[in-house]
Amino acid sequence: MRRCLGYLAKFQSQPRLSNAQLFLASLRSQYALPFHAFSCGRPRLASNSLVVSKLEQKIADIPLERYRNFCIVAHVDHGKSTLSDRLLEITGTIEPGGKKQVLDKLDVERERGITVKAQTCSMIYKYKGDDYLLHLVDTPGHVDFRAEVSRSYASCGGAILLVDASQGVQAQTVANFYLAFSQGLYLLPVLNKVDLPTAEPSRVIEQINDTFELDADNAVLVSAKTGRNVEKLLPEVIEKIPPPEGETSKPLRMLLVDSWYSSYRGVILLVRLFDGTIRAGDHVVSFATGIKYIVGEVGIMYPDQTPQTVLRAGQIGYVCFNPGMKRIQDAKTGDTFTTVGSQAAVEPLPGFEEPKTMVFVAAYPTDQSDYGHLEDSINQITLNDRSVTVQKEYSEALGAGWRLGFLGTLHCSVFEDRLRQEHGATIIITPPTVPFQVVWSNGKEEIIRNPAKFPEAEDFKGKLRELREPYVLVTVTLPEEYVGKVIELCEVNRGEQKELTFFTATQVILKYEIPLAQLVDDFFGKLKGATKGYATLDYEEAGWRQSKIVKLQLLVNKVPVDAVARVVHITQTERLGKEWVKKFKEHVDRQMFEVIIQAAAGRHVVARETIKPFRKDVLQKLHASDVSRRRKLLENQKEGRKKLRAVGNVSIENSAFQKFLAK
């Protein structure tokens, strides 16, 4: 220490260098250390800031007239994410030959080859000597995530309608077209996978012309996989999709398109600016909640979060606050933000309709000691997926758990996969069920989401007016040769035909109204099996209808197993009841007394199986005894079994429920 103070005193007489510089110089000379050993700076960050500043300068020089906001919409597996990769490579946003599906952030998306969450990315593209700022949104293709597509349309001025050149127009293609058409977006038809041997571009172009009345004769024919003709796509986007409207001189008017949660920054908002500008330090207010925030950082996705000094009207980017927004519930999708004090001068933008949960399951930990870990895992996933509803519940058979609501069966399956893969959770999931409506005699309507709480008609006789179940309008697109099989499948599932249209010589659009309970019971899998995978499906809500529905329960020694309860149509009780008791018998261990497994619809037992008890041979030591002696021993054994059954409880392991509930 004295040595260091001595060096400082020695160098105080030299004015040209600071004390710290002289101190470091002495240490370097004494220990022969290189200069960079004491460098606190990070050259990598300096170079990054230089890149960001060049990027920002480029964006600042681009006027609003050279902005283009567009999304890619298509049916499942028509190549949206692959095409997005090629566009990012052409614009230099990512390096060619890098990892595939750059915009698919989740492991389950890469594993399944589907897009679950809409993702955005900004690109700069030079066309005819001028730089253009392009905002691309990659959307999901499955019907369960239609809300993601709808929100993407609100931030775009046009859409690439991507169609597989071998599969042609399919159900979700039709649904996406009408959704975009209703919002006034320009649609640019593009045919993908033209390199496949089975591709028929001329047939698909004719389909698009006939089905949508779009001029598809000049559609761009591309192969996203090989990159063929993809370079012709962006000039078409620039020429045909209009630039966004807005003025930077007006007060801020910002639409909240999406949000996600960060452990370090809190809630991060994905926004679209319609008017004005936003930068760090601005004070903004939400129209929906009235809460005021201070902007901590703004930026664009390029393709990851890239900070910027300012976001301008017409841009799509992200915003985070300082202090951060702590509750994801405060980020209401479709909300409008403006600067504090400008509320009177700004008209809020029309918001989005919140997606409704259509399918419900119960989830329980296989071991109740894992309850806390599983609860934390569910909470972490729901932070970035607010369409999932969570409600705690308790089962006598499986213990504490949750009632989870989802947009559809695929949404449920993806959520379950994320729990297992990202958090290592081991859970028991009940089969999906749908909500039902009870109309009481006093006119009150009640929604029942848990089958265990469904009222028994016999117990509430005179109090119930009617029972209703939800219906959906199903649109099936399929080849003509499978029409008979699909009609038969729909009729078996209590469907009512609404429309049958030949939109080409070989392709049919079939519309049926089907109970939602039948749709979630693997209807899509049965449809694929009946049509060898050629049929596609889309659905939308069709309201409530009165129905003869009843609660089907599984009884073990006359005690109901609440975790297995299900509400079904009265015509299905006998078939399902027989399947249940037969399957459950295989997974229940034999006891010292007789176990009776029953399926009951209301008070009527529709199926029964019996598990025989372990039995001791009481006649083993009798050889030449009288028949009355034998009978007496057997009667005594029988009486003992009755007493044991009266006081004995059937112990059913969680593994038995897991095997029973597995598909």
Side-chain angles (χ1 to χ4, degrees), residues 2-12 22-23 26-27 30:
R2 291 176 181 174
R3 206 171 186 181
C4 294
L5 291 173
Y7 279 122
L8 287 174
K10 178 181 177 181
F11 292 123
Q12 278 179 350
L22 294 171
F23 179 62
S26 72
L27 289 176
Q30 182 174 355

Side-chain angles (χ1 to χ4, degrees), residues 203 292 320 452:
R203 175 181 66 85
K292 298 176 182 178
C320 56

Side-chain angles (χ1 to χ4, degrees), residues 520-584:
V520 302
D521 189 19
D522 198 28
F523 180 84
F524 188 60
K526 296 171 186 174
L527 178 66
K528 286 290 187 182
T531 61
K532 298 181 180 178
Y534 284 105
T536 57
L537 179 142
D538 180 46
Y539 65 88
E540 58 188 65
E541 293 181 65
W544 300 91
R545 286 195 187 181
Q546 185 177 357
S547 182
K548 294 181 179 180
I549 49 179
V550 66
K551 179 166 69 174
L552 184 66
Q553 295 187 96
L554 192 69
L555 309 178
V556 178
N557 279 0
K558 299 185 179 180
V559 177
V561 182
D562 53 355
V564 190
R566 187 173 168 186
V567 179
V568 299
H569 194 262
I570 198 168
T571 59
Q572 298 177 302
T573 55
E574 189 172 338
R575 176 184 63 83
L576 275 177
K578 288 180 178 178
E579 290 179 6
W580 280 13
V581 296
K582 185 177 179 182
K583 187 175 181 181
F584 200 69

Side-chain angles (χ1 to χ4, degrees), residues 480-499:
E480 182 266 339
E481 60 263 32
Y482 300 112
V483 170
K485 290 182 179 179
V486 174
I487 288 178
E488 182 181 352
L489 176 64
C490 294
E491 296 289 342
V492 167
N493 284 277
R494 300 190 287 129
E496 181 181 326
Q497 187 174 321
K498 292 297 178 183
E499 186 180 326

Side-chain angles (χ1 to χ4, degrees), residues 393-433:
E393 69 171 34
Y394 183 81
S395 165
E396 292 291 339
L398 296 173
W402 302 266
R403 173 74 40 181
L404 306 176
F406 299 97
L407 303 176
T409 51
L410 178 65
H411 187 203
C412 174
S413 178
V414 166
F415 188 89
E416 184 180 351
D417 284 353
R418 291 187 65 187
L419 277 177
R420 298 185 194 278
Q421 294 174 2
E422 299 175 17
H423 300 274
T426 54
I427 54 176
I428 298 174
I429 298 282
T430 62
T433 61

Side-chain angles (χ1 to χ4, degrees), residues 141-326:
H142 196 275
V143 61
D144 284 4
F145 308 106
R146 182 187 292 153
E148 294 278 336
V149 181
S150 179
R151 290 202 297 267
S152 302
Y153 286 162
S155 60
C156 296
I160 293 175
L161 186 67
L162 194 66
V163 183
D164 190 324
S166 58
Q167 298 288 343
V169 173
Q170 294 186 291
Q172 200 60 28
T173 314
V174 178
N176 287 335
F177 168 78
Y178 287 115
L179 189 61
F181 186 77
S182 65
Q183 297 196 23
L185 297 187
Y186 179 85
L187 287 165
L188 178 64
V190 176
L191 270 61
N192 191 21
K193 304 185 182 181
V194 294
D195 58 317
L196 294 179
T198 56
E200 300 179 81
S202 56
R203 175 181 66 85
V204 177
I205 288 172
E206 185 181 349
Q207 277 186 356
I208 296 173
N209 287 333
D210 295 343
T211 309
F212 306 131
E213 298 182 359
L214 283 177
D215 183 12
D217 294 331
N218 296 321
V220 184
L221 309 182
V222 304
S223 169
K225 184 177 181 180
T226 64
R228 175 179 167 187
N229 288 342
V230 177
E231 70 279 357
K232 297 180 181 178
L233 188 53
L234 290 179
E236 290 288 317
V237 169
I238 291 171
E239 292 288 347
K240 295 182 178 179
I241 292 180
E245 297 179 356
E247 293 183 26
T248 55
S249 58
K250 287 186 175 181
L252 175 68
R253 190 164 65 138
M254 182 173 72
L255 176 69
L256 172 54
V257 179
D258 200 359
S259 62
W260 60 92
Y261 191 85
S262 167
S263 303
Y264 303 101
R265 296 182 173 186
V267 182
I268 300 176
L269 312 182
L270 181 69
V271 297
R272 154 79 154 90
L273 271 69
F274 283 83
D275 288 309
T277 60
I278 187 170
R279 64 183 73 234
D282 286 354
H283 292 246
V284 298
V285 61
S286 161
F287 272 89
T289 63
I291 302 175
K292 298 176 182 178
Y293 301 96
I294 301 174
V295 178
E297 181 180 296
V298 299
I300 59 174
M301 308 301 290
Y302 190 76
D304 298 318
Q305 294 178 24
T306 304
Q308 301 281 285
T309 306
V310 62
L311 289 179
R312 301 173 181 81
Q315 281 190 273
I316 300 172
Y318 71 89
V319 174
C320 56
F321 301 122
N322 187 17
M325 183 188 289
K326 301 301 181 186

